[in-house]
């Protein structure tokens, strides 16, 4: 597959409801790839670790396969591995 922008990828794996939200998060510096802030046009590659700060939670994903097409929730694990620790997820409860 050709290069996929990080804002499209984050929208495709359902990390954000809209691509605009994903791009805004990148522009605000809340999205990091391998510890470096990512701009919306940055391409993603297989194996990269993406961290997203949303409120008090830091979500962590590993890119399994880049995609720019939005996938159903059941298919997300084919494209992204959720590495977010359970303790982070418990914060939202």
């Amino acid at each position: 597959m050709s290069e996929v922008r990080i804002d499209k990828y984050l929208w495709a794996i359902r990390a954000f409801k809209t691509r605009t939200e994903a791009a805004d998060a990148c522009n605000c510096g809340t999205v990091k790839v391998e510890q470096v802030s990512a701009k919306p046009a940055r391409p993603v590659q297989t194996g990269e670790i993406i961290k997203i700060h949303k409120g008090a939670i830091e979500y962590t994903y590993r890119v399994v396969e880049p995609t720019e097409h939005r996938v159903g929730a059941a298919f997300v694990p084919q494209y992204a591995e959720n590495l977010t620790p359970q303790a982070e997820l418990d914060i939202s409860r």
Side-chain angles (χ1 to χ4, degrees), residues 7-50:
D7 60 341
K8 281 187 178 182
Y9 177 75
L10 293 174
W11 166 76
I13 65 164
R14 299 177 169 270
F16 293 96
K17 289 184 180 181
T18 67
R19 186 169 159 207
T20 301
E21 285 180 13
D24 289 346
C26 291
N27 286 327
C28 291
T30 60
V31 176
K32 295 184 186 274
V33 178
E34 305 294 342
Q35 309 294 333
V36 178
S37 292
K39 296 295 180 194
R42 184 201 186 283
V44 295
Q45 297 175 1
T46 301
E48 288 184 317
I49 303 295
I50 300 172

Side-chain angles (χ1 to χ4, degrees), residues 60-89:
T60 306
Y61 298 96
R62 177 177 294 131
V63 178
V64 174
E65 183 179 339
T67 183
E68 62 183 19
H69 302 287
R70 191 147 170 105
V71 297
F75 298 103
V76 170
Q78 294 176 2
Y79 300 96
E81 180 182 357
N82 189 345
L83 302 175
T84 308
Q86 187 61 43
E88 283 286 326
L89 298 174

